Amino acid sequence: MDDDKKFSELLKAWQLPGAPASLDARVLASRRPWWKLLFTGSIRIPVPVAFALAAALVVMGIALLRRPPASPPAASVNLADFQPVKDLNVRVIRRSE
């Protein structure tokens, strides 16, 4: 019990040394604008992830190059002469077992 009192008194009397000016300069230094990070920044990723991303980009590029040309747009649809179906035949197909 006596040791606890001595320790408490010692803690109350203890003074921390001040932080050096170099620490303040490093911590409070002016920061670069966020947009400069886009040009000079880097992101660390594992090599297998980088290879997977590169392979995915290559596959997507090949798929885009091999895509058939787009068909011309369909003619406009006019529903003015639309008529409902007169004879509706519904066929129900059941699973064969």
Side-chain angles (χ1 to χ4, degrees):
M1 186 77 140
D2 192 35
D3 289 339
D4 287 339
K5 288 181 184 178
K6 288 181 183 177
F7 185 65
S8 296
E9 290 173 9
L10 181 64
L11 283 176
K12 288 178 185 176
W14 182 39
Q15 296 293 322
L16 289 174
S22 62
L23 178 63
D24 285 340
R26 284 186 287 163
V27 171
L28 301 175
S30 63
R31 297 192 179 250
R32 294 184 297 175
W34 64 270
W35 54 270
K36 282 190 178 180
L37 181 65
L38 294 175
F39 298 110
T40 61
S42 64
I43 299 173
R44 301 183 98 195
I45 59 172
V47 172
V49 173
F51 281 133
L53 287 174
L57 286 174
V58 167
V59 168
M60 286 189 294
I62 291 171
L64 283 174
L65 291 175
R66 299 184 79 193
R67 189 171 68 180
S71 61
S76 63
V77 177
N78 186 1
L79 297 178
D81 297 326
F82 177 75
Q83 297 292 322
V85 176
K86 292 180 182 176
D87 185 22
L88 180 64
N89 293 323
V90 178
R91 182 178 176 196
V92 178
I93 300 173
R94 296 194 176 168
R95 188 173 51 175
S96 63
E97 293 181 21

